[in-house]
Amino acid sequence: MTKLPFSSATVADTVTVVILVILAVTTSAHALGSGATLAVSFGTGTVCGIVASQPTQRIECYRRGQTIPIDPNINFSSITGGRNFFCGLRSGGYSFLCWDTTDFSSTDFAFKRVYLNYTVRLENLSYGDDQVCATVVGTGSVNCWRVNDQFKLPSASDGFVSISSGFGFSCGILANDSQVQCWGSNTTIANQIQKEFGNMSMKSIVAGGSHVCGLNSTGFVICRGNNDSGQLDVPSNTSAGEFSTLALGESHSCGMRKLNGSVACWGGGGEYSVNVIQGVFFETIVSGSNFTCGLTSMNLSVICWGPGWPNSGGETPLPPVLPGPCNNQSCSGCGVYSQSQRLCSGFGNICKPCLLPVPPVPPPQTPPGPTGSPRPSTSRGLRRGLLAFCIVGSVGAFAGICTIIYCLWTGVCFGKKKVHNSVQPTITRAASSNNGVTSNNSPPSRSCTIRRQGSRLMRRQRSGTSSKHGDRAEEFSLAELAAATNNFSLENKLGAGSFGVVYRGKLTDGREVAIKRGETGSKMKKFQEKESAFDSELAFLSRLHHKHLVRLVGYCEEKDERLLVYEYMKNGALYDHLHDKNNVEKSSSVLNSWKMRIKIALDAARGIEYLHNYAVPPIIHRDIKSSNILLDANWTARVSDFGLSLMGPESDREYRPMKAAGTVGYIDPEYYGLNLLTAKSDVYGLGVVLLELLTGKRAIFKSGDDGRTPISVVDFAVPIIMAGELVKILDSRVGTPEMHEVEAVELMAYSAMHCVHLEGKERLTMADIVANLDRALALFDDSHGSISSGIISIASE
Ligand SMILES: *[C@@H]1O[C@H](CO)[C@@H](O)[C@H](O)[C@H]1NC(C)=O
Ligand SMILES: *[C@@H]1O[C@H](CO)[C@@H](O)[C@H](O)[C@H]1NC(C)=O
Ligand SMILES: *[C@@H]1O[C@H](CO)[C@@H](O)[C@H](O)[C@H]1NC(C)=O
Ligand SMILES: *[C@@H]1O[C@H](CO)[C@@H](O)[C@H](O)[C@H]1NC(C)=O
Ligand SMILES: *[C@@H]1O[C@H](CO)[C@@H](O)[C@H](O)[C@H]1NC(C)=O
Ligand SMILES: *[C@@H]1O[C@H](CO)[C@@H](O)[C@H](O)[C@H]1NC(C)=O
Ligand SMILES: *[C@@H]1O[C@H](CO)[C@@H](O)[C@H](O)[C@H]1NC(C)=O
Ligand SMILES: *[C@@H]1O[C@H](CO)[C@@H](O)[C@H](O)[C@H]1NC(C)=O
Ligand SMILES: *[C@@H]1O[C@H](CO)[C@@H](O)[C@H](O)[C@H]1NC(C)=O
Ligand SMILES: *[C@@H]1O[C@H](CO)[C@@H](O)[C@H](O)[C@H]1NC(C)=O
Ligand SMILES: *[C@@H]1O[C@H](CO)[C@@H](O)[C@H](O)[C@H]1NC(C)=O
Ligand SMILES: *[C@@H]1O[C@H](CO)[C@@H](O)[C@H](O)[C@H]1NC(C)=O
C-alpha cells in the first residue's frame, strides 16, 4: 500500500493534501493491504521507519540532520505519515498512536494515542492531512478518524475501494464499477481529473499535487491531471504490471518496478531522476511534496532525494528498516521474506511480495493477482464512506486529532452531551505553543506564567475589597484550639508542615480538623507584619472549594500565634503510604492496585488544575509533593498546603523565590535556575509524584552498589521508561499490571515523563495531565473506556 502525502508550501495552510487509504485490490507487490514500514511527514521533511532486527519493533525518524528515536519504545507493525504527523499501529492492531513532528525545538515528538480497543483490531492504517483510516480486522469495514474538515467527503452510501487526496481534491475508485470519481474544494481540478479518467476501469489510484496516477485493470500506469512539470509522462516503454508501488509529490511521480525494485521518476523538471537511485533496488518508496524516500533492498537503509530534501540524494543515518510488517499470520501465496526471522527478532514473519500472478486458490481468500481481471470489490462489502463527524477549524492537524478525541470522549460530537468540565483535549506541548491552538477547545485559557508579583497585585486588590474577617473562614480562639488538641499534646501531633507543626484536633461541635501551628520564629514574625494580607488571604483560601483540595476551615490569630485549621484527612499523606515503612505493610494495601494509584494521581491533578485554571486569581502551589497529597476517609486524594505561597514572608523588595522554592527532589529545575515561577513548576512536582506512584521510590533515594549514592527518581525512571522497560521499575508491591492495565500504566508513565522535562515549555499542562490520567483510569472501566472504534465505525451493512 502506498500512501502519498504531499503538500505545497504556498498553500500549506489552506488546502489539505494527501492521503490515502488505498483499500484497493491493487497489484501492489508490497505488503498488500498490510501497511507500510516507512513513512514521511512531508510538511516537516521527516522520514520514519520501523527499525529492523531489534528486540522491539520500534520507530525511528530522521529530520534535518538528526535521528530521533520515537517514544514509546514499543512494538509497531506499520506506520503512515501525514503533513505534520505520523501514526503507528501497534503490533496486534489494537491501538494506534500519532506523533506531532512540528516541534523543532524538541528532540522527541509528542504523541497521542488515538485508538485503543482490544476487541476491535485494525489493519491497513493510512494517514493523511485530513484523516487517518484503517480497516477492521475480520470485517474489513473502514473507520476514519478525521483530522480536519477541509474536504466534503462522499456520503456514506458511496462505496470506494481506494481514496487518495491531492491538493484541494480527492479521488476514489467506486466499488461497483471501478471508475474514478473526484470531488473537493477545487472543483475545477476535481472535475477535470474525473473527466479525464472517464469510464476507465482502475484498480488503484494515488493523488499528487494536482495530478493522479493509478494502475488500470491490466496493470498499466495511467496518469491524469496537471502536466505542467511533465508529471503525467509515464516512461513510454512501460509494460503492463511493470510498476507496483507509486509515490507522487506535488509535481513529480515515481514508480517502483515490481520485478527488480528499481525506481523511475518522471516530472518535477527532471530533478528526481538522480544518480543516487540509479542501479539501486528498493523495497518500498514514499513521497513528500518535493522529495521521495525509498528503502533499499541491499541493506535496508533509507535514502531520500529531490529538491525538497536537504543535501539532496543521500543515505539517511537511519538504522535498517523492516521491509514489511512482521506478523504472525501465514503468508498466503508468495512466501516469506528471506531473513524474516532475524529481521523480526523472532516476532513473526514478513510476507514476500507476489512477483507473479498467484493462481487462484480456494475462495474466500484469493490473493488478487496483478494481472487478474478486475474484481469489482462488492464481495468485500466495502460499502461505506468516510464519516465526517467533527468540525474542526484550520488549527492544525494535531489539534484536530485532539478535538476528535475530545469529541469521542465527551460524546459532544454525537449529540449526547456528556459534560466533563475538566476533560479537555490533551493538547501537546507543541500544539500548546502554537498560537491559538490551546484556546481552540479548552476552557479558560490562562497564561501559564504567573509571576508572583502578579498575585501580589491581586492580593492588594482583594484586601482592598474584602471585609476584615472574611466570608467563610471561621475565627477560632487559641483556647478553643488548645482544647481541641489536648493542649497541643504530642499524641495529637500529626507531623510538621511548611509553616509549623500539625496536630489532629476535635472541635467542640465534633468536627475533626487538622491544626497547623506556626513556629514563633523569625519566619512567623515577618509573616505577622502583614496582618491584613493574612486575613484576606485566609478569606480567599477558605472560599476555595474543590473536592480535591483540602479545605481551610478557619484560623486563629492571637498574641504571637497564628494557626490554621484544615479539614482532617483520615488516611493521611500519600507519602506515608508509599514510603513509610510502618505503614507499608498495614493499611496501605488499598494503594496496592494500579487503578487506585492512577485515581490518586488523577484526583491530585484535578485539584492542582483547579488552582491553576479556575481559582481567581490563579494559584501556583509551589510545593507539590507526596506529603502534600492527603487521602480522606474515602481514599480520595486532596491537595493541601496551597495558597500559603501567596502570602510568603518576604517584602516586595526582598522577593527571592529561591527561599521558598519547595522541596528537594520536587523542585522545578527551571525555577531553581531562572527564578521564574510558572504553573509548570507544579507540573514538575506532580511528575515526580507520578513517578513515586509508579516506582514506589522516594523523590530522592539511595541507590548504587553501595546503596548510598542518592539518586532522584526522575534520573532513575525516565531513561528506563524511554527505553520501553517501564515494567522493570514498577512498584513490586502493586505487581505487574495485567493485560488491560498495561496501557493505563504506560499512559501514566508517559505523562510523568512529559511532566519532568527540564524545560517548562516542553512539559504538559495540568489540563493535559488530567485528560491523560482520565483516559488511563477509564481503561479500567469498559463502558466508558477508550476511544472506541465502535462509536465512529461506519455502518457496513
Ligand atoms: C488489509 O490488510 C490485510 C493484510 O494485513 C489484507 O489481507 C486485507 O486485504 C487488507 N484490506 C484491505 C481492504 O485492503
Ligand atoms: C516486542 O515484541 C517482542 C516479541 O513478542 C517481545 O519480546 C518484546 O518484549 C516486545 N517489546 C515491547 C517493548 O513490548
Ligand atoms: C455505481 O455507483 C454510483 C454511485 O453510487 C452510481 O452513480 C453508478 O450508477 C453505479 N454504477 C453501476 C454500474 O452500478
Ligand atoms: C484549482 O487547481 C488548479 C490546478 O492546480 C489551479 O490552477 C487553480 O488555481 C485551483 N483553483 C483554486 C480555486 O484553488
Ligand atoms: C467508455 O465510454 C465510451 C464512450 O464514451 C464507450 O465507447 C466505451 O465502450 C466505454 N467503455 C466501457 C468499458 O464502458
Ligand atoms: C490500461 O491502459 C493501457 C495503456 O493505456 C491500455 O492499453 C489498456 O487497454 C488499459 N486497460 C483497460 C482494461 O482499460
Ligand atoms: C506532459 O508535458 C510534457 C512536456 O512537459 C509533454 O511532452 C507531454 O506530452 C505531456 N503529456 C501529456 C500526457 O499531456
Ligand atoms: C529493472 O527491470 C526493468 C524492467 O522491468 C529494466 O528495464 C531495468 O533496466 C531493470 N533495472 C536494473 C537496474 O536492472
Ligand atoms: C548500504 O549500501 C550502500 C550501497 O548500496 C552503501 O553506500 C551504504 O553505506 C550502506 N549502508 C549501510 C548502513 O551499510
Ligand atoms: C519543499 O516543500 C516544503 C514544504 O512541504 C517547503 O518548505 C520547502 O521550501 C520545499 N523545498 C523546495 C526546494 O522547494
Ligand atoms: C465519602 O463518600 C460518601 C459517599 O459518597 C460521602 O457521603 C462522604 O461525605 C465522603 N466522605 C468524605 C470525607 O468525603
Ligand atoms: C471495542 O469496540 C467494541 C465494538 O465496537 C465495543 O463494543 C467495545 O465496548 C469496545 N471496547 C472498549 C474497551 O472500548
Side-chain angles (χ1 to χ4, degrees):
M1 286 300 108
T2 310
K3 307 142 260 319
L4 302 167
F6 88 88
S7 85
S8 150
T10 50
V11 255
D13 280 329
T14 51
V15 193
T16 305
V17 188
V18 192
I19 319 245
L20 49 107
V21 192
I22 311 243
L23 304 171
V25 182
T26 77
T27 59
S28 170
H30 280 270
L32 178 69
S34 55
T37 49
L38 185 68
V40 295
S41 174
F42 53 91
T44 56
T46 307
V47 57
C48 302
I50 300 180
V51 180
S53 308
Q54 302 220 339
T56 298
Q57 273 104 49
R58 63 186 180 86
I59 300 172
E60 190 160 322
C61 296
Y62 175 80
R63 182 184 68 187
R64 308 210 174 157
Q66 244 189 334
T67 53
I68 303 163
I70 297 303
D71 104 73
N73 183 347
I74 49 181
N75 288 318
F76 289 94
S77 61
S78 69
I79 57 176
T80 179
R83 183 196 300 274
N84 293 329
F85 306 92
F86 68 93
C87 298
L89 184 65
R90 291 188 65 167
S91 298
Y94 57 89
S95 173
F96 77 82
L97 314 175
C98 296
W99 292 260
D100 180 353
T101 63
T102 55
D103 186 2
F104 281 82
S105 64
S106 169
T107 49
D108 60 353
F109 298 133
F111 77 90
K112 283 292 170 270
R113 188 183 62 210
V114 179
Y115 179 83
L116 176 79
N117 186 317
Y118 289 103
T119 50
V120 180
R121 292 168 187 253
L122 305 176
E123 59 188 355
N124 310 322
L125 186 73
S126 303
Y127 192 143
D129 233 359
D130 199 36
Q131 64 211 354
V132 194
C133 298
T135 54
V136 171
V137 175
T139 70
S141 71
V142 183
N143 285 350
C144 290
W145 289 260
R146 229 168 129 64
V147 175
N148 210 312
D149 207 23
Q150 307 276 9
F151 289 131
K152 202 171 172 319
L153 288 167
S155 76
S157 61
D158 296 337
F160 286 92
V161 291
S162 175
I163 294 176
S164 186
S165 301
F167 217 43
F169 71 96
S170 296
C171 294
I173 298 174
L174 280 171
N176 63 359
D177 56 10
S178 300
Q179 293 190 1
V180 174
Q181 287 227 327
C182 301
W183 62 94
S185 56
N186 189 334
T187 48
T188 318
I189 190 76
N191 291 343
Q192 182 199 333
I193 293 175
Q194 179 173 328
K195 190 159 150 264
E196 288 179 9
F197 274 102
N199 61 5
M200 209 175 306
S201 163
M202 300 293 291
K203 281 197 280 198
S204 70
I205 51 166
V206 161
S210 47
H211 68 297
V212 169
C213 295
L215 299 173
N216 77 2
S217 53
T218 44
F220 283 93
V221 177
I222 309 288
C223 293
R224 295 290 183 267
N226 187 327
N227 187 32
D228 286 353
S229 309
Q231 60 266 53
L232 304 188
D233 271 354
V234 184
S236 55
N237 51 358
T238 301
S239 54
E242 177 170 343
F243 288 101
S244 52
T245 304
L246 301 175
L248 275 62
E250 187 180 346
S251 65
H252 75 283
S253 312
C254 296
M256 193 184 82
R257 291 191 181 91
K258 189 186 327 184
L259 281 177
N260 59 15
S262 62
V263 166
C265 294
W266 54 95
E271 289 192 88
Y272 296 83
S273 300
V274 293
N275 283 333
V276 289
I277 60 167
Q278 302 311 318
V280 178
F281 306 123
F282 293 88
E283 294 298 318
T284 189
I285 53 172
V286 289
S287 279
S289 57
N290 50 19
F291 66 93
T292 294
C293 296
L295 177 61
T296 66
S297 301
M298 164 96 87
N299 51 15
L300 301 177
S301 60
V302 175
I303 66 177
C304 299
W305 65 95
W309 192 255
N311 317 318
S312 189
E315 192 176 286
T316 65
L318 284 175
V321 164
L322 287 172
C326 295
N327 63 55
N328 281 323
Q329 296 142 18
S330 60
C331 298
S332 57
C334 313
V336 171
Y337 195 92
S338 67
Q339 305 196 314
S340 199
Q341 285 286 326
R342 180 179 63 81
L343 293 171
C344 294
S345 306
F347 184 56
N349 286 312
I350 301 170
C351 294
K352 228 172 32 194
C354 296
L355 293 179
L356 299 168
V358 179
V361 285
Q365 288 174 330
T366 311
T371 53
S373 58
R375 288 191 308 164
S377 312
T378 43
S379 60
R380 286 202 122 126
L382 283 178
R383 298 199 335 106
R384 62 239 87 212
L386 304 160
L387 178 62
F389 60 86
C390 187
I391 299 184
V392 182
S394 58
V395 290
F398 211 54
I401 294 189
C402 294
T403 305
I404 288 172
I405 294 171
Y406 180 62
C407 291
L408 294 174
W409 191 253
T410 58
V412 165
C413 311
F414 305 94
K416 41 168 183 168
K417 289 207 171 59
K418 209 200 287 179
V419 179
H420 279 245
N421 62 1
S422 55
V423 177
Q424 299 162 32
T426 31
I427 289 159
T428 63
R429 316 185 300 252
S432 313
S433 59
N434 284 345
N435 296 337
V437 171
T438 31
S439 59
N440 186 32
N441 311 303
S442 40
S445 142
R446 275 285 166 66
S447 160
C448 288
T449 307
I450 307 159
R451 288 184 170 270
R452 267 189 85 198
Q453 278 88 340
S455 25
R456 223 177 251 120
L457 225 140
M458 300 286 231
R459 179 167 77 227
R460 277 194 211 98
Q461 288 169 355
R462 273 203 319 276
S463 35
T465 54
S466 74
S467 61
K468 179 143 169 46
H469 291 161
D471 310 345
R472 286 192 240 158
E474 293 172 50
E475 185 169 4
F476 296 95
S477 72
L478 188 58
E480 266 178 285
L481 298 183
T485 57
N486 194 11
N487 204 18
F488 302 106
S489 71
L490 267 185
E491 299 92 80
N492 285 37
K493 184 173 161 179
L494 289 171
S498 57
F499 267 88
V501 181
V502 185
Y503 300 87
R504 177 178 179 177
K506 195 162 190 180
L507 300 175
T508 44
D509 60 8
R511 273 184 295 168
E512 285 201 291
V513 290
I515 298 169
K516 190 177 269 191
R517 186 185 199 193
E519 309 136 0
T520 35
S522 59
K523 209 174 175 184
M524 284 312 285
K525 282 253 169 58
K526 279 193 182 166
F527 186 73
Q528 288 152 21
E529 285 156 17
K530 297 183 153 245
E531 273 192 25
S532 61
F534 181 76
D535 294 346
S536 65
E537 285 307 326
L538 294 185
F540 165 56
L541 294 178
S542 64
R543 276 198 305 270
L544 286 178
H545 278 275
H546 190 268
K547 65 181 173 192
H548 299 304
L549 296 178
V550 176
R551 211 193 129 208
L552 180 69
V553 177
Y555 63 95
C556 163
E557 47 176 333
E558 224 173 279
K559 297 184 218 148
D560 278 354
E561 297 267 11
R562 294 294 179 274
L563 297 96
L564 299 172
V565 180
Y566 290 97
E567 285 176 294
Y568 177 65
M569 294 291 115
K570 177 159 178 284
N571 284 308
L574 176 61
Y575 178 93
D576 294 333
H577 291 284
L578 291 178
H579 310 308
D580 182 340
K581 291 216 174 59
N582 298 330
N583 252 323
V584 167
E585 278 89 41
K586 294 178 263 151
S587 62
S588 296
S589 54
V590 177
L591 260 69
N592 289 344
S593 90
W594 289 117
K595 184 175 180 183
M596 190 64 196
R597 291 204 180 187
I598 290 171
K599 180 170 178 299
I600 287 172
L602 175 60
D603 290 349
R606 285 196 200 278
I608 302 165
E609 192 211 8
Y610 177 83
L611 294 176
H612 288 181
N613 291 344
Y614 298 94
V616 181
I619 293 177
I620 297 173
H621 187 294
R622 300 212 300 175
D623 199 12
I624 296 294
K625 54 184 175 182
S626 54
S627 51
N628 272 339
I629 293 169
L630 306 184
L631 298 162
D632 71 12
N634 292 337
W635 296 91
T636 298
R638 316 244 225 134
V639 176
S640 77
D641 241 8
F642 52 87
L644 294 180
S645 53
L646 286 176
M647 43 180 179
E650 313 93 331
S651 78
D652 284 10
R653 215 179 311 121
E654 287 168 352
Y655 170 58
R656 277 193 202 90
M658 284 297 299
K659 278 189 174 173
T663 305
V664 177
Y666 297 90
I667 305 175
D668 170 6
E670 212 171 48
Y671 182 24
Y672 199 83
L674 303 175
N675 278 9
L676 179 69
L677 179 63
T678 75
K680 294 293 182 74
S681 303
D682 288 351
V683 170
Y684 188 91
L686 183 67
V688 176
V689 173
L690 297 186
L691 293 175
E692 287 178 78
L693 282 164
L694 289 163
T695 63
K697 303 236 182 278
R698 289 179 162 84
I700 305 269
F701 64 98
K702 301 263 173 58
S703 124
D705 295 337
D706 54 357
R708 284 205 230 135
T709 321
I711 180 172
S712 74
V713 72
V714 173
D715 293 339
F716 165 74
V718 169
I720 296 177
I721 297 173
M722 296 268 286
E725 292 173 339
L726 171 66
V727 69
K728 287 189 187 163
I729 54 165
L730 292 176
D731 189 344
S732 56
R733 289 171 292 179
V734 191
T736 313
E738 322 236 319
M739 171 73 168
H740 70 285
E741 299 178 331
V742 170
E743 198 87 17
V745 174
E746 277 175 3
L747 202 50
M748 171 144 121
Y750 296 126
S751 302
M753 203 168 80
H754 287 293
C755 289
V756 295
H757 205 283
L758 278 183
E759 286 180 66
K761 69 177 166 48
E762 300 284 316
R763 292 178 208 148
L764 299 174
T765 65
M766 261 317 150
D768 294 338
I769 301 164
V770 168
N772 285 349
L773 294 173
D774 205 8
R775 271 159 66 202
L777 189 62
L779 293 176
F780 289 91
D781 170 15
D782 268 354
S783 61
H784 168 87
S786 54
I787 315 310
S788 139
S789 70
I791 310 176
I792 53 169
S793 165
I794 299 143
S796 59
E797 330 67 59

